[in-house]
Amino acid sequence: MQQWISKLSEQEVGAIIPNEPMSKYTTWKIGGPADAMIVPENNQQLACLITQLYEGQIPWLIVGKGSNMLVSDKGVRGAVIRLSGELEEIRFSDNEVVAGGGASFVRLSIMAGKQGLTGLEYAGGIPGTVGGAVYMNAGAHGSDVSRIFKSAEIVLENGELATYTAEDMDFSYRHSILHERRCIVTRASFSLDKGERLEIGAAMAAFKDRRRKTQPLKQPCAGSVFRNPQGDHTARLIEAAGLKGHRIGGAEVSNLHANFIVNTGQATAEDVLTLMEQIKDTIASKFQIALVPEVFFVGER
């Protein structure tokens, strides 16, 4: 065991799992081992952990449901952090909901609907955490986090706590100010509206049925791989370029939705990266459009 892991084991930072395969924590089911997976259960453990990593100059990575992440076949050096316990709790008060950064965004949307609160119907198909959704300004069906966001509690890279309001977040398409900060969302609050439970449930069911028919949800994937260019759809461009079904190793452009890359069984991160590069090069050549990835690559290549 590395010295820094042994030192952390003497602190109250949560469970520590050395050499944990990251393929267990990504929706692509891809990724080599992390030096250590660390699972804090509350703000105190998380703040202590981040302070120790900061002082020891140990690199770290936060992972939620792994739905926007491609992890290297060589794994991740340093610490990988997953939030649990109190950091996954969801609490409602009138029209406001406060959710831990590690809470499931899908679960939050379902619970809101059962409370008769509208504004999160679109989230029923976003398989990430609340923290990841805030970070990415996650959205679908014409809505996104910025429309309901009130504030977020953040642990900064030195272990200090901060609160960001909506005005601080600089939200835009699939972007927030957190892209430019080294931090972790521990809790976020959202303002919703009163609605009719039956109407909310019907809308969520319609969105779910649409996803089932148009997205390869039965295969390991990471959602949309590239952002939509302004005024167009990446899936249309990829299909027009004749790349539907194109395959590199175990990675394949989905025949159901061309902006999804699926793991057909034995895909490596290198397969996915090579396929992404071929897609980008083809679209740039045919349409003079530079595609921007919506997924993050982490680890050593």
Side-chain angles (χ1 to χ4, degrees), residues 96-109:
E96 183 175 327
V97 57
V98 178
S104 162
F105 204 42
V106 170
R107 178 168 168 257
L108 174 61
S109 70

PDB file of all heavy atoms in Angstrom, residues 96-109:
ATOM      1  N   GLU A  96     -39.162  23.766  -2.207  1.00  0.00           N
ATOM      2  CA  GLU A  96     -37.709  23.676  -2.317  1.00  0.00           C
ATOM      3  C   GLU A  96     -37.230  22.271  -1.961  1.00  0.00           C
ATOM      4  O   GLU A  96     -37.781  21.611  -1.084  1.00  0.00           O
ATOM      5  CB  GLU A  96     -37.031  24.688  -1.378  1.00  0.00           C
ATOM      6  CG  GLU A  96     -35.506  24.695  -1.487  1.00  0.00           C
ATOM      7  CD  GLU A  96     -34.873  25.782  -0.628  1.00  0.00           C
ATOM      8  OE1 GLU A  96     -35.508  26.854  -0.475  1.00  0.00           O
ATOM      9  OE2 GLU A  96     -33.763  25.565  -0.115  1.00  0.00           O
ATOM     10  N   VAL A  97     -36.196  21.810  -2.678  1.00  0.00           N
ATOM     11  CA  VAL A  97     -35.588  20.528  -2.363  1.00  0.00           C
ATOM     12  C   VAL A  97     -34.089  20.725  -2.213  1.00  0.00           C
ATOM     13  O   VAL A  97     -33.466  21.468  -2.977  1.00  0.00           O
ATOM     14  CB  VAL A  97     -35.893  19.469  -3.450  1.00  0.00           C
ATOM     15  CG1 VAL A  97     -35.433  19.920  -4.832  1.00  0.00           C
ATOM     16  CG2 VAL A  97     -35.226  18.138  -3.103  1.00  0.00           C
ATOM     17  N   VAL A  98     -33.530  20.088  -1.197  1.00  0.00           N
ATOM     18  CA  VAL A  98     -32.086  20.110  -0.974  1.00  0.00           C
ATOM     19  C   VAL A  98     -31.587  18.682  -1.121  1.00  0.00           C
ATOM     20  O   VAL A  98     -32.092  17.762  -0.456  1.00  0.00           O
ATOM     21  CB  VAL A  98     -31.740  20.653   0.426  1.00  0.00           C
ATOM     22  CG1 VAL A  98     -30.230  20.618   0.648  1.00  0.00           C
ATOM     23  CG2 VAL A  98     -32.271  22.076   0.590  1.00  0.00           C
ATOM     24  N   ALA A  99     -30.610  18.493  -1.996  1.00  0.00           N
ATOM     25  CA  ALA A  99     -30.124  17.144  -2.293  1.00  0.00           C
ATOM     26  C   ALA A  99     -28.609  17.085  -2.170  1.00  0.00           C
ATOM     27  O   ALA A  99     -27.901  18.007  -2.567  1.00  0.00           O
ATOM     28  CB  ALA A  99     -30.544  16.732  -3.704  1.00  0.00           C
ATOM     29  N   GLY A 100     -28.126  15.987  -1.610  1.00  0.00           N
ATOM     30  CA  GLY A 100     -26.692  15.776  -1.507  1.00  0.00           C
ATOM     31  C   GLY A 100     -26.051  15.626  -2.872  1.00  0.00           C
ATOM     32  O   GLY A 100     -26.693  15.144  -3.821  1.00  0.00           O
ATOM     33  N   GLY A 101     -24.797  16.018  -2.972  1.00  0.00           N
ATOM     34  CA  GLY A 101     -24.095  15.933  -4.250  1.00  0.00           C
ATOM     35  C   GLY A 101     -23.998  14.523  -4.796  1.00  0.00           C
ATOM     36  O   GLY A 101     -23.919  14.320  -6.001  1.00  0.00           O
ATOM     37  N   GLY A 102     -24.044  13.524  -3.909  1.00  0.00           N
ATOM     38  CA  GLY A 102     -23.966  12.150  -4.351  1.00  0.00           C
ATOM     39  C   GLY A 102     -25.301  11.510  -4.650  1.00  0.00           C
ATOM     40  O   GLY A 102     -25.359  10.345  -5.067  1.00  0.00           O
ATOM     41  N   ALA A 103     -26.406  12.256  -4.468  1.00  0.00           N
ATOM     42  CA  ALA A 103     -27.741  11.704  -4.717  1.00  0.00           C
ATOM     43  C   ALA A 103     -27.965  11.473  -6.202  1.00  0.00           C
ATOM     44  O   ALA A 103     -27.462  12.209  -7.056  1.00  0.00           O
ATOM     45  CB  ALA A 103     -28.810  12.654  -4.179  1.00  0.00           C
ATOM     46  N   SER A 104     -28.726  10.457  -6.517  1.00  0.00           N
ATOM     47  CA  SER A 104     -29.081  10.170  -7.905  1.00  0.00           C
ATOM     48  C   SER A 104     -30.010  11.259  -8.446  1.00  0.00           C
ATOM     49  O   SER A 104     -31.022  11.588  -7.826  1.00  0.00           O
ATOM     50  CB  SER A 104     -29.779   8.814  -7.988  1.00  0.00           C
ATOM     51  OG  SER A 104     -30.495   8.673  -9.191  1.00  0.00           O
ATOM     52  N   PHE A 105     -29.679  11.787  -9.625  1.00  0.00           N
ATOM     53  CA  PHE A 105     -30.516  12.820 -10.234  1.00  0.00           C
ATOM     54  C   PHE A 105     -31.855  12.228 -10.681  1.00  0.00           C
ATOM     55  O   PHE A 105     -32.893  12.883 -10.589  1.00  0.00           O
ATOM     56  CB  PHE A 105     -29.768  13.435 -11.417  1.00  0.00           C
ATOM     57  CG  PHE A 105     -30.199  14.825 -11.772  1.00  0.00           C
ATOM     58  CD1 PHE A 105     -30.458  15.780 -10.804  1.00  0.00           C
ATOM     59  CD2 PHE A 105     -30.314  15.209 -13.107  1.00  0.00           C
ATOM     60  CE1 PHE A 105     -30.850  17.069 -11.140  1.00  0.00           C
ATOM     61  CE2 PHE A 105     -30.691  16.501 -13.459  1.00  0.00           C
ATOM     62  CZ  PHE A 105     -30.967  17.429 -12.472  1.00  0.00           C
ATOM     63  N   VAL A 106     -31.825  10.980 -11.127  1.00  0.00           N
ATOM     64  CA  VAL A 106     -33.068  10.299 -11.510  1.00  0.00           C
ATOM     65  C   VAL A 106     -33.966  10.126 -10.282  1.00  0.00           C
ATOM     66  O   VAL A 106     -35.169  10.406 -10.333  1.00  0.00           O
ATOM     67  CB  VAL A 106     -32.764   8.930 -12.149  1.00  0.00           C
ATOM     68  CG1 VAL A 106     -34.055   8.124 -12.328  1.00  0.00           C
ATOM     69  CG2 VAL A 106     -32.071   9.102 -13.496  1.00  0.00           C
ATOM     70  N   ARG A 107     -33.375   9.666  -9.182  1.00  0.00           N
ATOM     71  CA  ARG A 107     -34.149   9.471  -7.947  1.00  0.00           C
ATOM     72  C   ARG A 107     -34.755  10.791  -7.486  1.00  0.00           C
ATOM     73  O   ARG A 107     -35.907  10.836  -7.035  1.00  0.00           O
ATOM     74  CB  ARG A 107     -33.257   8.880  -6.868  1.00  0.00           C
ATOM     75  CG  ARG A 107     -33.943   8.680  -5.520  1.00  0.00           C
ATOM     76  CD  ARG A 107     -33.097   7.820  -4.598  1.00  0.00           C
ATOM     77  NE  ARG A 107     -33.609   7.854  -3.233  1.00  0.00           N
ATOM     78  CZ  ARG A 107     -33.073   8.547  -2.250  1.00  0.00           C
ATOM     79  NH1 ARG A 107     -31.975   9.279  -2.471  1.00  0.00           N
ATOM     80  NH2 ARG A 107     -33.594   8.528  -1.042  1.00  0.00           N
ATOM     81  N   LEU A 108     -33.988  11.871  -7.590  1.00  0.00           N
ATOM     82  CA  LEU A 108     -34.496  13.186  -7.201  1.00  0.00           C
ATOM     83  C   LEU A 108     -35.718  13.557  -8.025  1.00  0.00           C
ATOM     84  O   LEU A 108     -36.722  14.045  -7.487  1.00  0.00           O
ATOM     85  CB  LEU A 108     -33.396  14.234  -7.385  1.00  0.00           C
ATOM     86  CG  LEU A 108     -33.802  15.694  -7.167  1.00  0.00           C
ATOM     87  CD1 LEU A 108     -34.297  15.914  -5.743  1.00  0.00           C
ATOM     88  CD2 LEU A 108     -32.636  16.631  -7.485  1.00  0.00           C
ATOM     89  N   SER A 109     -35.659  13.313  -9.328  1.00  0.00           N
ATOM     90  CA  SER A 109     -36.792  13.676 -10.194  1.00  0.00           C
ATOM     91  C   SER A 109     -38.033  12.855  -9.858  1.00  0.00           C
ATOM     92  O   SER A 109     -39.153  13.372  -9.848  1.00  0.00           O
ATOM     93  CB  SER A 109     -36.416  13.491 -11.669  1.00  0.00           C
ATOM     94  OG  SER A 109     -36.292  12.120 -12.005  1.00  0.00           O
TER      95      SER A 109
END
